[in-house]
């Protein structure tokens, strides 16, 4: 795998094993997953028009995959915003710590798989956008 810039959100193409029985994708480290996997969770049954996220993480890195359906991930580095549309089970969005994210525009049946580097800890979350912006603006822009 070519080396990644781990300071910025980016799409990562995952291995895709074509098979007449159906395709298979995996993420492993070392390999396509640029951090040691510690936890996984998934978001599903999102009602139309609902939004998830709305925070940043102090330490946690993650990869989001639309294993079913589609949704948008809006990321902010404290200076600007960028939107990624996830709709391919063989593509992951890597998000390093220090990035604000919201998820919206979920299609019917969408499933968001999240592979992350840390245990769950509420203390890792920054849920106030102004607090986030103040911290983020001490670092260079990455978007
Ligand atoms: C993220 C986006 C994409 C736990 O108990 N354990 C867990 O591992 C997680 C992820 C959550 N929870 C509890 C904490 C809350 O009481 O589940 C509840 C909902 O969590 P939250 O409001 O943080 O959900 P989202 O969808 O806003 O954010 C989640 C992740 O928390 C976050 O890391 O990046 O998905």
């Amino acid at each position: 795998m070519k080396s990644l810039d781990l300071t910025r959100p980016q799409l990562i193409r995952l291995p895709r094993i074509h098979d007449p029985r159906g395709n298979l994708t995996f993420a492993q480290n070392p390999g396509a997953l640029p951090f040691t996997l510690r936890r996984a969770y998934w978001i599903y049954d999102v009602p139309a028009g609902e939004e998830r996220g709305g925070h940043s993480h102090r330490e946690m890195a993650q990869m989001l995959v639309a294993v079913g359906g589609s949704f948008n991930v809006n990321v902010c580095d404290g200076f600007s915003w960028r939107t990624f549309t996830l709709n391919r089970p063989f593509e992951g969005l890597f998000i390093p710590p220090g990035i604000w994210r919201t998820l919206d525009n979920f299609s019917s049946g969408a499933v968001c798989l999240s592979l992350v580097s840390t245990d769950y800890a509420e203390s890792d979350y920054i849920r106030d956008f102004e607090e986030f912006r103040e911290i983020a603006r001490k670092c260079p822009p990455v978007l």
Side-chain angles (χ1 to χ4, degrees), residues 51-134:
E51 182 180 291
R52 304 288 312 211
H55 54 255
S56 76
H57 285 278
R58 298 177 196 276
E59 302 287 340
M60 192 193 87
Q62 75 187 135
M63 182 184 278
L64 298 176
V65 183
V67 291
S70 67
F71 52 87
N72 287 346
V73 185
N74 313 293
V75 292
C76 176
D77 61 359
F79 297 90
S80 57
W81 287 85
R82 183 169 170 194
T83 296
F84 293 90
T85 297
L86 297 189
N87 54 15
R88 297 164 155 178
F90 53 88
E91 198 169 66
L93 175 64
F94 170 71
I95 307 180
I99 297 290
W100 189 270
R101 88 291 313 271
T102 62
L103 285 70
D104 60 17
N105 205 21
F106 283 85
S107 71
S108 164
V111 181
C112 170
L113 172 66
S114 181
L115 306 173
V116 308
S117 64
T118 61
D119 289 335
Y120 174 74
E122 186 56 35
S123 57
D124 192 57
Y125 287 71
I126 301 175
R127 295 188 184 271
D128 179 85
F129 187 72
E130 286 314 313
E131 182 190 352
F132 157 74
R133 222 157 64 108
E134 204 168 301

Side-chain angles (χ1 to χ4, degrees), residues 7-80:
T7 65
R8 63 181 188 88
Q10 65 208 276
L11 292 171
I12 295 177
R13 185 81 167 214
L14 298 167
R16 188 185 188 193
I17 314 291
H18 288 278
D19 192 309
R21 299 171 299 163
N23 298 331
L24 182 150
T25 286
F26 60 92
Q28 67 179 14
N29 51 330
L33 204 55
F35 52 82
T36 302
L37 177 61
R38 179 75 192 179
R39 179 167 53 104
Y41 56 87
W42 42 102
I43 296 169
Y44 52 94
D45 290 348
V46 179
E50 282 296 340
E51 182 180 291
R52 304 288 312 211
H55 54 255
S56 76
H57 285 278
R58 298 177 196 276
E59 302 287 340
M60 192 193 87
Q62 75 187 135
M63 182 184 278
L64 298 176
V65 183
V67 291
S70 67
F71 52 87
N72 287 346
V73 185
N74 313 293
V75 292
C76 176
D77 61 359
F79 297 90
S80 57

